Structures are given as structure tokens and as C-alpha cells.
Amino acid sequence: MGCVSSVSYSVLINGQPYGHFLPQRGIRQGDPLSPFLFVICTEALTHILNQAERCGKITGIRFNDAGPSVNHLLFADDTLIICKASQEECSQIMHCLSQYGHISGQMINVEKSSVTFGNKIEAETKDWIMHRSGIHVEGGTGKYLGLPECFSGSKQVLFGFLKEKLLSRLNGWYATKSSGRLWI
């Protein structure tokens, strides 16, 4: 909070600073300091989740036996937590988030959150996890950063739009290049 509460702002008019403003609600969206604060704060969450996995309380995903286990991914101000869909692991994740909230003062916004399940998870388990977590939106059918949230079904159909977009750009580039103009 020292990074946020100790700043002040001035307005430049014709190159001269005027005024002295103290923020009253923390940093604004888009502030260059925001990503750094996010990384610093989420170090605590990363430690808590990794410790829970080391103790066998949660299970991340492994892409092969020799590779590392991944129990969370962080991007911009989004967090993706990966675990088995079980009552025990859900309770442990909620405990980790509660511990992180107590330490950092940041709480999960269940209204902006969603939970995604594998296709073999029973409806009863899904209902229990959604009730326990307080997250009532089931994700996996939308897009995030232009990519599908869930990678099920035909990968050719799923990623066909990328191929079409690439071909369109290449065709445009080739057309521009063949017309005697080269854009770099």
C-alpha cells in the first residue's frame, strides 16, 4: 500500500507542472504501476498454491511425467487455477484463496469468476463445487483473448479461423509485394 498511498500527481500545462493531487482510491486502471503491483501481490498466491501442491492437498496438470506441474496461470490481472474437480481440492483451493485474501486484502470476485469442468465430471460434483466456491457461472464455452476457453473437438475446426486470418494477411501481403510496393 505504500506504493499506492505515497504517490501524488501534477498536471503539465505547456510543459510546467501545476497542482498537487493525492489519490484517494488507489491507482487508476491503466496505471503503469498496476502490473508490477499485481506481480508482487500474486507472489504470495503463487507461494500458497505451490505449497498446497507440495503437501499433496491440490493437484496441478502435468503434460508429461518429466515436466513440471502447473496449478495456476497468471495473465495481466486474470488468474486461472487448475486442480482436480473434487470436494477436497475445491475446499483446499478456497482455503488458499481465503489465506491469500487475509494476507493481501484482495478477495475473489465471484461475480466475475467462472469454473470450467472436464466432460467426465458428474453433475452432482459440479453443483457441489459451484455452491462451495460461490461461483455460479460455468465457463469453457466462450473466448479469452480471442482464443476458445475450451479445446475440445476438432482442432482443425477450432483453429480454422487462425488459418483463415493468416492466409488473408499473407494474400494481402503478396498482392502488395507483387504490385511493386514493399511495406516493411
Side-chain angles (χ1 to χ4, degrees), residues 66-81:
S69 177
V70 178
N71 59 41
H72 69 284
L73 297 171
L74 305 171
F75 182 78
D77 59 355
D78 292 329
T79 303
L80 173 67
I81 299 175

Side-chain angles (χ1 to χ4, degrees), residues 140-154:
T141 58
K143 289 189 174 190
Y144 179 72
L145 299 175
L147 295 173
E149 289 179 359
C150 192
F151 296 112
S152 61
S154 167

Side-chain angles (χ1 to χ4, degrees), residues 75-126:
F75 182 78
D77 59 355
D78 292 329
T79 303
L80 173 67
I81 299 175
I82 303 163
C83 68
K84 286 185 179 176
S86 69
Q87 292 182 5
E88 296 79 19
E89 291 208 18
C90 173
S91 294
Q92 188 59 43
I93 291 292
M94 296 311 295
H95 175 73
C96 290
L97 291 173
S98 174
Q99 189 178 7
Y100 173 69
H102 180 71
I103 292 168
S104 70
Q106 295 181 324
M107 305 301 291
I108 184 173
N109 184 342
V110 294
E111 299 299 321
K112 291 183 176 182
S113 300
S114 65
V115 60
T116 303
F117 299 99
N119 59 358
K120 296 180 182 176
I121 306 302
E122 297 175 4
E124 184 179 298
T125 303
K126 289 181 184 182

